[in-house]
Amino acid sequence: MARHSLPRILTDSTRLARTAADGATDVLHPLITIGRGLRRLVAAGRERWSETPKERRGPLFFSVAACVLVVALVPYGPLLALISVMGVAAWAGRDRAEAAEAEVPDEAETGRLQTLYEALVPYFSAGADPSPLYAHDGDWEQVFTEYAFDDSARLERLRLKYPAYFTDGEPQSRARIEQLLHVKCGRGREYHFAWDEEANELVLSVLAALPTDIAAQPFITSPGETVLGFTDPDSVARTVPVVHGDDERRNAPPVMWRTGDRSTEPHLLALGQPGTGGTTLLRSIALQALQDGDVLVIDGGGTGEFACLAGRSGVMGVESGLSGALATLEWAAHETERRLIDTNRARQIGLNAPEDTRRPLWIIADRPTALAHVAAAEGREDPQRLLQVPLRHGPAANVTVVVADQFETAGMLSDAVRAHTKARIVLGPATAEVVRAVLGAPPHTTPTSEVPPGRGYARLGAGPVLRLQVPATPDPFDDGASEVHRRAVLELLPEPTVPAGEAAFTKPLTVASPLAVVQPAPTVEALVVDEPDADDGPAAEAPTDAEPMAATTRMSTVRAGQPFAVNGPAETTARAEG
């Protein structure tokens, strides 16, 4: 169907009406601004009145009424008050978009923007596009809608548009653009990329360095929460008060890890290069866990980084040798079974779980693959195999496993460790591919080649990838560490209970419930224990001299106050054989 043009009289009338409206807008612009400002002031007053508590509204109304009366009695008071209100209304009603005019970039900044625009042309252009946004010798002002430079004329924020046919849903396409912007905007800084697929916009911003002066301290958390470190303020919706520097207090956004029977990521795995803060992370977690739980430490590296915990209250043991590690991990597996059985029996008869089963038990293993290599050389059992029971049934028994290792030996980690550690941390310099392989998702920033110790990325379950800075928790016996940080760690250590020269793995196990009767220890799968019938025959015979006493006495039912000590190899461990 052919299109017919409008009559000229209608076109002239439309143009005339539009011109008259523009003229009226220019004439009445002050009144429009003042009216808009009055409307905003009234809305702000209503909001303030609604936020005021009811018990304070009376005094507030009396104060306002008194001010109005004083102004009315002062000579020329009403006139001055009217002029003041009009001025405030004009300021509040101004057009915010016009007031926030962008500064005109200088010649150097314009050259940087033009160079960046030309570099993006091969990625954001197509030959079949009739009106491309990106073209050689094109105009960068139509795609760079927002930009900001620092004092050295380097971009610190940029908002750009890209064509709708760009494959922004593919990680490879995004990675190419992010790498190009990282190179062109300047290396040595960490950039954050926010993709808006609906609006076809990308926002680049330079991230500030995370604080490294926050030392270990008693963080204010709920039961079952552990502060892994601190991240960017925009990444989390929570802050905790911390002390940093010279006793200065502020609120910092934490990376909070929740453990327990209802946690979706009850165990944690941290990987990194040597000297990137893995042991510092474990030491920080151990100090927080000792506030309301027991800790068992396996120092696979044998460097003595956890010697400060030996013989402390709540520390079940600090083992660095293969025999001691096997013994303590075997005890931890039996303890997990014992907790499951006692909890199940209590629930069957309608009682609460025994008190000793509700106290958290933490198994912290630093470089277990080093012990696995020694075990393979000696033909002995891999210590990681004994972690299967705590990893699989730990949440129900209030047992948490934390493992830290290095990238070079990550392939030696057992399948159980890989499968059950839903909380992951990458420490130190790492490429985006490595971060994606460990955390399951790429970071939204560009990793840098040089980072301070304790700096990395964290991901809890299926959550987002967050930047992380671990609190400074050095070995208090390390003379090379900061004196302030060493003193902070010493203040958090529990009171010593065992002399430093004696065995570290000593813990009195008591009978906390009448449910813990003397029986053979069943397997993990036997969570429901049926009582034997009277027709099943006589009771089991007493053990002979050839059978160890542990065949009829469970490790968890030791007489009250009797210590259970493991000072030798795994063969000397008192364990159930039933």
Side-chain angles (χ1 to χ4, degrees), residues 103-114 140 147 149-154:
E103 297 183 359
V104 179
D106 56 18
E107 184 177 356
E109 296 173 348
T110 303
R112 283 182 175 271
L113 292 174
Q114 185 64 34
W140 57 266
Y147 48 85
F149 293 87
D150 56 11
D151 297 336
S152 59
R154 293 199 302 175

Side-chain angles (χ1 to χ4, degrees), residues 183-200:
V183 173
K184 294 297 182 180
C185 294
R187 299 180 183 271
R189 299 185 297 175
E190 195 165 2
Y191 298 92
H192 179 267
F193 300 95
W195 292 83
D196 187 357
E197 294 86 350
E198 297 182 359
N200 296 325

Side-chain angles (χ1 to χ4, degrees), residues 105-122 133-144 147 149 153 155 158 160 180-181 184-185:
D106 56 18
E107 184 177 356
E109 296 173 348
T110 303
R112 283 182 175 271
L113 292 174
Q114 185 64 34
T115 302
L116 185 59
Y117 174 83
E118 294 291 341
L120 292 172
V121 169
L133 286 175
Y134 292 83
H136 294 289
D137 296 332
D139 185 12
W140 57 266
E141 294 183 355
Q142 64 178 348
V143 294
F144 296 159
Y147 48 85
F149 293 87
L155 275 171
L158 176 67
L160 61 88
L180 174 64
L181 293 177
K184 294 297 182 180
C185 294

Side-chain angles (χ1 to χ4, degrees), residues 27 61 67 116 141 147 162 199 269 274-275 284 301 310 324 340 350 396 402 409 460 469 488 553 567:
V27 173
F61 178 79
C67 293
L116 185 59
E141 294 183 355
Y147 48 85
Y162 57 87
L269 172 63
S284 174
L340 289 174
V402 182
T409 56
L460 305 179
Q469 179 62 51
T553 304
N567 300 326

